[in-house]
Amino acid sequence: MTENITPEQADLLEILKTRRYFLRSAVEGLTDEQAALTPTVSELCVGGLIKHVSATETEWADFIVRGPIAGGGMEWSEEAVAAYGNQFRMLDGETVDGILAAYDEVAARTDALVLSEDLDKRWPLPEAPWFEKGATRSVRQVFLHVAAETAHHSGHADIIRETIDGKKSMG
């Protein structure tokens, strides 16, 4: 860290760190095979959720640096939809260690952005059915969204983990 870190930057880093901790804890001690299990009625697995959160955090970090992708970045080709779906599962050859190492790289990049970007900078959101037309987001809001997204999927991962072996993140 740096000596010139503001209290707000420290708070953002702390909230991101704690949300990531809870997501990561859902995979702690699992084998690659267990992390790929889909023991609930959903098709989600713990390893896939970490991949998805990592991919989502990467997309938002890119948004912070470059703004929205022309055309919203949405592609609905069969290949694009399949690639998106693969974010939620562990593919052949993927390991817990590899997924966590990639997530650590994404987290380090995001944390560096917390320290280097103007939190008040705003970008227009891409056109998408889930965004209000003409809406913008500040860099600050994006970091808070990443923390919320991570917490959201930590809950999913916690339920899946409890179904696998009874381990709970709390309690």
Side-chain angles (χ1 to χ4, degrees):
M1 298 279 187
T2 176
E3 343 179 319
N4 297 328
I5 188 170
T6 68
E8 184 175 21
Q9 289 168 323
D11 287 347
L12 289 169
L13 290 171
E14 181 63 24
I15 195 169
L16 288 166
K17 176 183 171 184
T18 57
R19 297 323 177 262
R20 291 179 189 131
Y21 168 81
F22 284 113
L23 180 60
R24 291 175 63 95
S25 72
V27 77
E28 187 176 284
L30 291 181
T31 65
D32 297 336
E33 293 75 22
Q34 288 173 311
L37 290 174
T38 56
T40 67
V41 296
S42 87
E43 294 181 20
L44 299 175
C45 69
V46 176
L49 283 167
I50 295 170
K51 282 176 53 179
H52 169 68
V53 169
S54 184
T56 300
E57 188 168 324
T58 297
E59 290 172 9
W60 281 111
D62 290 345
F63 175 85
I64 286 169
V65 173
R66 294 193 297 263
I69 297 170
M74 296 180 351
E75 185 186 334
W76 297 104
S77 69
E78 195 171 309
E79 296 81 21
V81 171
Y84 179 76
N86 284 337
Q87 286 181 9
F88 294 93
R89 52 181 82 60
M90 286 182 65
L91 305 176
D92 289 340
E94 290 182 326
T95 65
V96 170
D97 288 343
I99 288 169
L100 290 175
Y103 188 37
D104 287 344
E105 289 178 22
V106 169
R109 177 184 179 216
T110 301
D111 290 352
L113 291 174
V114 169
L115 298 174
S116 65
E117 290 291 323
D118 175 2
L119 299 177
D120 293 322
K121 179 173 75 173
R122 299 186 79 79
W123 291 108
L125 290 170
E127 287 187 31
W130 46 87
F131 293 134
E132 182 181 332
K133 190 170 184 65
T136 64
R137 290 293 181 272
S138 70
V139 168
R140 175 185 298 99
Q141 287 174 300
V142 172
F143 290 132
L144 293 171
H145 175 76
V146 168
E149 174 92 3
T150 305
H152 178 80
H153 289 304
S154 292
H156 297 138
D158 197 38
I159 290 167
I160 294 167
R161 175 62 187 262
E162 188 175 352
T163 303
I164 293 170
D165 66 2
K167 181 184 178 239
K168 300 176 187 177
S169 65
M170 300 175 116

